[in-house]
Amino acid sequence: TQLLEQSPQFLSIQEGENLTVYCNSSSVFSSLQWYRQEPGEGPVLLVTVVTGGEVKKLKRLTFQFGDARKDSSLHITAAQPGDTGLYLCAGASDQTGANNLFFGTGTRLTVIP
Amino acid sequence: DSGVTQTPKHLITATGQRVTLRCSPRSGDLSVYWYQQSLDQGLQFLIQYYNGEERAKGNILERFSAQQFPDLHSELNLSSLELGDSALYFCASSASGTPGLTQYFGPGTRLTVL
């Protein structure tokens, strides 16, 4: 099992604050994805990073893939209540022919107005 | 809307029973994945099918089985249900089984075993 640990597990912040969520593993992944999940719904893909060191920006969200492709971070600038949700990182297996995702433990973010 | 559909949305049943969850992938996607999400275990990969054939297996119990049909829809069969099987079951699809491809998730089936 390729374990992905996220930190923090829970985060409650005021609107307008910045935050960073971390996703760490001892395994190398061919790519890493970040999802946001609302209660009662399926995870929705935010971004996919595939190259070590890659940085992608999605409005106020910045995603980075570690140089060794073992870790990633998600930084949110000026958080808004609409950012509230469960954030999940997921690494794609490096095994040939397989594309199963190994999900992180999740970070539950609450942004207080 | 991801384009992946799952039925039923909710399912309530008793211990020892058998249920079938259904998933229709996005149009054109050949690969289907099943995941289980429970409060204490997070999102766990169960099994993957690609164009009708099993491609990868994760933490799937022997009481569980799945298949993908010629029209590419998939079914997850859960038998001899136990209280601990209560969870959200998600189906996802991707264009192929190539590592790194985006997986699109359905809305899930919430299974409650009483």
Side-chain angles (χ1 to χ4, degrees), chain A residues 1 30-31 33 35 37 39-45 48 50 86 88 92-105 108, chain B residues 9 31 33 35 37 39 42-45 48 55-57 59 88 90 94 96-108 110:
Chain A
T1 301
S30 58
S31 69
Q33 301 177 354
Y35 291 81
Q37 185 178 13
E41 299 180 7
V44 176
L45 180 68
T48 300
V50 296
L86 178 66
L88 297 161
S93 168
D94 223 3
Q95 298 171 23
T96 301
N99 188 29
N100 45 293
L101 289 174
F102 296 91
F103 277 84
T105 46
R108 192 166 297 279
Chain B
K9 181 77 172 174
S31 210
Y33 314 79
Y35 293 87
Q37 187 176 40
L39 284 175
L43 201 62
Q44 300 285 320
F45 168 71
Q48 175 198 359
R55 176 64 66 90
K57 228 172 187 178
N59 300 321
L88 272 167
F90 289 103
S94 69
S96 77
T98 304
L101 274 188
T102 299
Q103 293 186 21
Y104 295 88
F105 283 77
R110 181 176 292 278

Side-chain angles (χ1 to χ4, degrees), chain B residues 42-85:
Chain B
L43 201 62
Q44 300 285 320
F45 168 71
L46 296 178
I47 197 165
Q48 175 198 359
Y49 279 83
Y50 174 73
N51 204 19
E53 294 191 1
E54 182 182 305
R55 176 64 66 90
K57 228 172 187 178
N59 300 321
I60 188 166
L61 300 172
E62 287 191 9
R63 301 183 285 109
F64 296 0
S65 65
Q67 54 184 328
Q68 185 179 28
F69 295 86
D71 67 351
L72 301 177
H73 91 271
S74 178
E75 292 181 356
L76 178 67
N77 300 296
L78 315 176
S79 61
S80 302
L81 285 168
E82 301 175 0
L83 296 177
D85 297 327

